[in-house]
Amino acid sequence: MPSGGPIGVMGGSFDPIHVGHLLAASEVADRLELSAVIFVPAGQPWQKSRRELAAAEDRYAMTVIATAGDPRFSVSRLEIDRPGPSYTIDTLHMLAETLASSTLYFITGADALAGIETWYRYEEIVELAHLVGVSRPGHALPNDQPVAASATFVDIPGLAVSATDIRERIAAHRSIRYLVPTAVESYIYKHELYREAE
Ligand code: NAP
């Protein structure tokens, strides 16, 4: 675990992780001068009723493979190993305890962040971490929402790539080359992930 200096906590389903996520983490780390970014794949997301996610262990493995080459990046099993719904507040408490001397920046999609007031113990989240919302080009940043006051929003051109598009391409037997790291592409095919249309 990294310690000392400001640290990014990159939360998301990562279903699958793609080059947009990696570019976003790298950009935010550069702009906010973070010493490290910990990716935290969500174990059992609480507001995900619409579709089944890939197995947590597969999403975790793909995240490890994708981040292995960058010394700033690491991956946490905190949410994968914790039973019950993955609440961000629990994750931040555990990380704050382990990384006592570090300032935490919780990084996720700006659209995910827009609903943060509905998250479990939201007030405590904003006390434990600075919020960073990353957005795709053409997506308006939610400047008019109350969360905007306590969050930093960053536009990431590479986030034009989306996990939804990648899953749809696989189900339609279209290429995902260059949208995910090559080793993640191989993992997806080897484990026959995302073959069914949603
Ligand atoms: P998601 O479905 O994975 O993503 C929602 C949107 O944000 C998608 O457009 C997604 O792009 C993008 N996104 C997600 N994570 C990103 C990241 N780290 N960097 C860049 N873009 C990202 O979102 P989610 O899993 O629901 O929630 C995101 C995070 O918020 C998770 O860590 C989750 O645990 C936390 N959360 C916590 C609570 C709570 O504690 N009650 C409630 C809601 C969310 P792609 O589809 O391309 O990935």
Side-chain angles (χ1 to χ4, degrees), residues 9 40 44 46 76-98 104 106 119-122 124-126 128-129:
V9 179
V40 187
Q44 186 185 324
W46 57 121
S76 166
R77 290 189 60 91
L78 273 180
E79 294 194 359
I80 301 280
D81 289 342
R82 200 168 59 224
S86 295
Y87 292 126
T88 298
I89 186 63
D90 298 333
T91 304
L92 290 175
H93 268 304
M94 292 173 98
L95 288 174
E97 236 168 69
T98 325
L104 299 182
F106 182 73
W119 295 12
Y120 185 55
R121 287 159 53 197
Y122 151 70
E124 271 177 72
I125 294 179
V126 294
L128 276 180

Side-chain angles (χ1 to χ4, degrees), residues 10-14 16 18 21 24 40 42 45-48 79 86-89 106-112 118-120 125 134 136 159 161-164:
M10 181 85 169
S13 302
F14 302 122
H18 53 68
H21 297 130
V40 187
W46 57 121
Q47 291 170 343
K48 282 260 144 51
E79 294 194 359
S86 295
Y87 292 126
T88 298
I89 186 63
F106 182 73
I107 310 161
T108 193
D111 39 350
T118 67
W119 295 12
Y120 185 55
I125 294 179
V134 294
R136 304 195 152 90
L159 270 183
V161 176
S162 84
T164 306

Side-chain angles (χ1 to χ4, degrees), residues 116-145:
I116 196 168
E117 282 156 63
T118 67
W119 295 12
Y120 185 55
R121 287 159 53 197
Y122 151 70
E123 293 85 356
E124 271 177 72
I125 294 179
V126 294
E127 277 172 24
L128 276 180
H130 299 279
L131 302 176
V132 182
V134 294
S135 177
R136 304 195 152 90
H139 272 250
L141 298 175
N143 288 324
D144 54 342
Q145 298 194 2

Side-chain angles (χ1 to χ4, degrees), residues 31-48:
R31 289 193 215 180
L32 302 184
E33 300 183 355
L34 307 181
S35 54
V37 179
I38 305 170
F39 286 67
V40 187
Q44 186 185 324
W46 57 121
Q47 291 170 343
K48 282 260 144 51

